[in-house]
Amino acid sequence: MTDLTATPQRPWLDATLPVDERVDLLMAQMTLAEKVGQTHQVANIDPSADAETIRAGRISSSLYASGATGGNERDDGVLVGNIDAAQRHAVEGSRLGIPILFGRDVIHGHRTVAPIPLGLAASFDTDIAEQVGEIAAREAAVDGVAWTFTPMVDISEEPRWGRVAESLGETPVLSGRLAASIVRGFQGPHPSDADRIAACAKHFAGYGLAAGGRDYDTVSVGENTLRNLHLRPFKAAVEAGVHTVMAAFNDVDGTPMHAHEHLIREVLKGEWGFDGVVVADWNGIGQIVFQGVAADNREAAALAIHAGIDLDMVSGSYLAHLEELVESGEVDVALVDDAVRRVLRLKFRLGLFERPYAARPGAVNAPTPETRAVALRAAQAAHVLVKNDGVLPLDPSAGSVLLSGPFVDEGEALLGTWTLDGRGEDVVSPASALRERLGDRLDVSDGRFSDRTLQQARRTERTVLLLGEHPSRSGEANSVTDIRLPHGQLDVLRAVAGLGKPVVAVVYTGRPLDLSEVLDLADAVVVVWHPGVEAGNALASVLFGDAEPRGRLPMTFPLTTGHIPTSTHQRPTGRLIRADVDLDEGRYLDALTYARLPFGFGLSYTSVDYSPPTVSTPTITPDGTVTLTVTVTNSGERPCREVVQLYFRDPVAQVTRPLVELTDWALVALEPGQAREVTFDVQAEQFAYAGRDLTARVDEGEIVLLTGPDSARLQPVSITVRTHS
Ligand code: NOJ
């Protein structure tokens, strides 16, 4: 049994001391080689092959390893169950006994897989996001995972870019608030609790601007746009206490992010006071060489440590070169100390020195009824109804249904793009959930375009067609040039719709798609993303109206691929392009320019009316608050959960500002016929932006506040910001 109590030789083990004091005590004992060891992360640690390196204090962290005990090898060659064996070498075999930090991608659930992050974002629900994070942390901790690489808060206007699946949408406020909730869910109030793990805001910064939507591509953006858009959700995550931030693969205006001293060391660590760990992305330091900005890994290591990358994910450049770079005077040891201090701070904060081993005899992390209930709520809340001619909700007692399409019997494919631990057999498929309700009135086909499918559709009264993309078409390195449905799917829809019977199209996707023809042909359309383990139950409950559809689009759905990039925060040009006025005066010769489905859009099974907004005062000071009130009335016959959205426009500023920008929202439950007054306390600070000198400012002058059910159906009220009333 390891003795983890403080001794005169190991005073840093005294858990009653403040963390920074413990870090100082430990660092005072460390050799340069041991310090450099704390900046090195390996993939798939192997307690046998890596034993000597661990004992020399030369491995700080491990990526991907999972499973506390019982080490064995899986088919794919990945070692599992080795965490405690590797940890024992570090804690009991190394000179200073510094524990290893085990990280793994737990992106949208661990074993209980929830909707992909873009789906979670569609819920606009911070409570659900936090609960999903909390469950994922608890389950991952059982497998020995102490740190994960989520949330991804890259803002993107690029549906071709597959990684939008992992994002929280296109607006900084939605992305930032959900990120803060996810961080709270993973880390909790005390990240040293056994059921909590560290989170990571990624990828800092500008990754969502990859040219042409090609993953990893170059990024050309000015600092004003970065500050007014792309950096904001990172700042929100930092303010929520996120322990780590991951650097992005891309360059920003010529400087690789892994070498970007200004944005990482000066802005993130300096200006924002972030005192956690900046981790490289996979071989991100080595990639500076591929980017042609360093001749070799030695030079890349020097650039990265100057920039403020604290932990080298797998490139080995720090381990190989940092000592020598310090000894030659090319790198100040203070830079290494800064990195080591941050890594050790995190290890102390996580309680690893007190609780280095993960084994918890008897602990299980398979989905339970309780965790499934959260996954179900999350998946239901992610369903976005984008068209309904009245065919939904389906009446379970009326007639037969054909369920058709490539996802009918799927398990694994409905988990989504980024899950290492979800299991296909844990997924409730659409066919099984619908069969439970309809019994032998359900007919099922695989959706291939065939006479058989058509014959089945002729025999049944309604068709539910499951369309969309397999998750392997979205996520990292999965970009596309065309956001229409995969080949053949529209042919089936056309043929089935041609029969003249009601057709409901259900769209599984990791990105906004060109749904124009689907919207024209189907009687109802529901976008469900990749929903996770409760996929089938969530779908059945929404289709039959046990759960009301309440999701809203967290990204704009463009008219066609050619319209990309599109977003709600479009800025004005010298030629007016107000979507509400100039629909016919498009910017293209061959198409109109409005979005097919705007940001924030989604229907319920009822109708909701909005009153014009009113404000408590027409003028506020730059540090003041105004209360905006809007009355929403459920004018239909079913209950709903309305996402009441608040936007603003700053008509005259130092730099071009978005035509509308989401600044707040409220989730409001309404019974049929019920009216509710919804109030927003709006602080003038919410209108702050980076001006021409890049510093934050709130201007005097008019601000237009706008409320409505989505970014395209808004009613305005103006206020004035004035220093003296
Ligand atoms: C590369 C991805 O960009 C990043 O998001 C992920 O966390 C790391 N690989 C580790 O798997």
Side-chain angles (χ1 to χ4, degrees):
M1 191 60 203
T2 331
D3 186 4
L4 297 171
T5 48
T7 60
Q9 292 73 38
R10 293 189 172 182
W12 58 85
L13 291 179
D14 180 352
T16 65
L17 296 177
V19 163
D20 280 340
E21 200 176 324
R22 299 177 76 184
V23 172
D24 286 340
L25 288 165
L26 176 51
M27 283 183 64
Q29 301 295 320
M30 293 172 78
T31 63
L32 181 56
E34 284 164 339
K35 286 179 179 174
V36 169
Q38 286 305 308
T39 67
H40 180 53
Q41 184 185 57
V42 297
N44 292 318
I45 203 162
D46 180 337
S48 307
D50 295 326
E52 211 176 303
T53 324
I54 302 172
R55 286 169 166 266
R58 302 280 283 169
I59 294 179
S60 176
S61 175
S62 146
L63 172 69
Y64 294 147
S66 181
T69 56
N72 52 36
E73 194 157 342
R74 274 206 314 224
D75 292 351
D76 55 7
V78 177
L79 293 166
V80 296
N82 283 297
I83 284 187
D84 281 356
Q87 191 69 294
R88 203 166 298 284
H89 290 306
V91 174
E92 296 169 38
S94 73
R95 193 176 75 88
L96 298 169
I98 303 173
I100 295 168
L101 172 60
F102 291 91
R104 182 174 177 83
D105 292 276
V106 179
I107 305 300
H108 46 109
H110 186 67
R111 286 290 309 277
T112 303
V113 178
I116 56 168
L118 196 58
L120 266 186
S123 75
F124 278 64
D125 194 323
T126 50
D127 292 340
I128 284 181
E130 184 168 340
Q131 284 169 33
V132 165
E134 189 178 340
I135 289 170
R138 195 161 76 214
E139 292 181 349
V142 170
D143 279 336
V145 178
W147 174 29
T148 189
F149 307 112
T150 202
M152 175 177 136
V153 291
D154 300 308
I155 299 284
S156 186
E157 306 169 4
E158 246 306 348
R160 289 175 296 181
W161 188 50
R163 284 210 97 165
V164 295
E166 200 184 336
S167 85
L168 295 167
E170 72 187 26
T171 59
V173 169
L174 178 64
S175 179
R177 273 199 211 162
L178 290 171
S181 303
I182 291 169
V183 168
R184 277 193 290 276
F186 274 99
Q187 298 187 171
H190 306 291
S192 59
D193 288 351
D195 284 343
R196 303 290 185 159
I197 69 176
C200 180
K202 69 187 188 186
H203 307 81
F204 192 80
Y207 189 30
L209 289 166
R214 296 178 293 270
D215 208 358
Y216 318 123
D217 216 313
T218 54
V219 168
S220 305
V221 63
E223 189 165 336
N224 188 272
T225 301
L226 279 179
R227 284 183 181 264
N228 282 327
L229 195 55
H230 301 273
L231 297 187
R232 286 170 60 192
F234 285 97
K235 191 148 188 246
V238 168
E239 283 166 3
V242 74
H243 283 310
T244 70
V245 171
M246 186 184 290
F249 282 128
N250 53 279
D251 71 335
V252 165
D253 199 22
T255 303
M257 274 312 305
H258 284 72
H260 213 301
E261 196 168 340
H262 172 58
L263 288 176
I264 295 177
R265 193 172 287 287
E266 291 176 13
V267 177
L268 171 64
K269 292 182 171 180
E271 196 181 311
W272 299 356
F274 174 64
D275 71 354
V277 172
V278 177
V279 61
D281 201 345
W282 179 275
N283 191 35
I285 298 179
Q287 289 187 15
I288 302 174
V289 177
F290 306 154
Q291 287 167 303
V293 174
D296 50 30
N297 278 19
R298 183 179 184 280
E299 209 177 315
L303 285 171
I305 196 78
H306 276 104
I309 306 286
D310 304 312
L311 189 61
D312 173 9
M313 186 183 281
V314 313
S315 92
S317 312
Y318 280 178
L319 197 71
H321 304 293
L322 267 190
E323 261 174 276
E324 197 243 308
L325 283 164
V326 170
E327 280 153 7
S328 68
E330 287 160 88
V331 165
D332 189 334
V333 71
L335 294 176
V336 179
D337 282 350
D338 176 52
V340 175
R341 183 174 302 283
R342 288 164 181 274
V343 172
L344 293 177
R345 193 184 274 143
L346 176 58
K347 291 184 177 183
F348 280 116
R349 282 178 174 163
L350 288 173
L352 291 182
F353 286 83
E354 287 70 60
R355 204 175 27 79
Y357 296 113
R360 295 194 214 171
V364 285
N365 59 4
T368 65
E370 179 225 342
T371 65
R372 279 189 178 278
V374 173
L376 176 62
R377 270 208 308 284
Q380 289 166 334
H383 282 42
V384 189
L385 180 67
V386 292
K387 177 178 179 184
N388 189 12
D389 280 353
V391 57
L392 290 180
L394 296 175
D395 176 355
S397 59
S400 53
V401 173
L402 170 65
L403 181 68
S404 178
F407 302 102
V408 290
D409 272 319
E410 265 301 339
E412 203 169 335
L414 301 185
L415 289 175
T417 168
W418 217 162
T419 165
L420 295 173
D421 298 277
R423 299 184 186 175
E425 69 262 25
D426 287 337
V427 179
V428 180
S429 75
S432 71
L434 263 73
R435 197 169 288 122
E436 214 167 273
R437 282 157 195 269
L438 292 166
D440 59 11
R441 282 178 296 129
L442 180 74
D443 198 1
V444 173
S445 93
D446 66 7
R448 250 173 279 167
F449 186 74
S450 65
D451 284 350
R452 187 164 174 269
T453 301
L454 279 182
Q455 278 164 14
Q456 286 174 291
R458 269 191 207 103
R459 275 203 309 267
T460 41
E461 284 163 45
R462 295 157 294 184
T463 298
V464 175
L465 204 50
L466 308 186
L467 306 169
E469 294 192 333
H470 189 274
S472 60
R473 247 173 95 87
S474 56
E476 186 178 351
N478 295 318
S479 297
V480 295
T481 60
D482 188 342
I483 60 163
R484 283 176 300 179
L485 286 171
H487 189 68
Q489 294 192 4
L490 278 176
D491 294 335
V492 182
L493 175 60
R494 285 180 199 124
V496 173
L499 300 177
K501 300 179 182 184
V503 180
V504 177
V506 176
V507 182
Y508 292 89
T509 183
R511 59 162 55 82
L513 293 169
D514 169 356
L515 292 182
S516 298
E517 202 174 339
V518 180
L519 287 158
D520 289 345
L521 291 174
D523 301 282
V525 182
V526 197
V527 175
V528 300
W529 320 102
H530 295 122
V533 289
E534 285 292 314
N537 288 333
L539 180 66
S541 65
V542 171
L543 291 184
F544 290 104
D546 304 338
E548 304 300 317
R550 45 168 285 205
R552 300 292 183 260
L553 296 177
M555 279 186 82
T556 305
F557 276 46
L559 261 181
T560 66
T561 305
H563 286 79
I564 298 170
T566 48
S567 77
T568 182
H569 45 250
Q570 187 174 7
R571 303 196 305 256
T573 70
R575 295 287 173 108
L576 281 185
I577 47 165
R578 280 180 47 201
D580 51 336
V581 177
D582 290 333
L583 287 187
D584 296 332
E585 190 210 292
R587 311 293 280 188
Y588 298 109
L589 287 177
D590 57 347
L592 303 177
T593 49
Y594 63 92
R596 187 62 181 86
L597 299 170
F599 173 88
F601 180 71
L603 303 168
S604 317
Y605 289 148
T606 187
S607 49
V608 177
D609 300 330
Y610 280 66
S611 73
T614 57
V615 283
S616 56
T617 169
T619 59
I620 57 169
T621 56
D623 56 0
T625 302
V626 58
T627 302
L628 177 144
T629 305
V630 57
T631 303
V632 285
T633 309
N634 182 344
S635 49
E637 280 159 16
R638 296 185 57 99
C640 68
R641 184 85 173 254
E642 180 73 0
V643 183
V644 180
Q645 299 168 38
L646 174 66
Y647 296 77
F648 78 99
R649 172 161 66 231
D650 184 348
V652 182
Q654 265 198 356
V655 296
T656 54
R657 301 283 293 133
L659 291 171
V660 292
E661 176 176 321
L662 180 77
T663 188
D664 205 352
W665 71 91
L667 302 180
V668 182
L670 292 169
E671 291 302 319
Q674 190 184 1
R676 278 177 69 173
E677 271 195 356
V678 180
T679 57
F680 293 97
D681 289 330
V682 188
Q683 295 169 345
E685 217 175 59
Q686 287 168 241
F687 317 135
Y689 68 95
R692 279 204 285 272
D693 68 357
L694 302 179
T695 63
R697 53 185 296 122
V698 177
D699 292 340
E700 291 198 295
E702 185 191 8
I703 291 287
V704 186
L705 295 165
L706 305 108
T707 49
D710 59 61
S711 63
R713 288 180 291 165
L714 295 171
Q715 300 187 70
V717 58
S718 281
I719 58 165
T720 304
V721 179
R722 201 185 295 149
T723 310
H724 305 290
S725 48

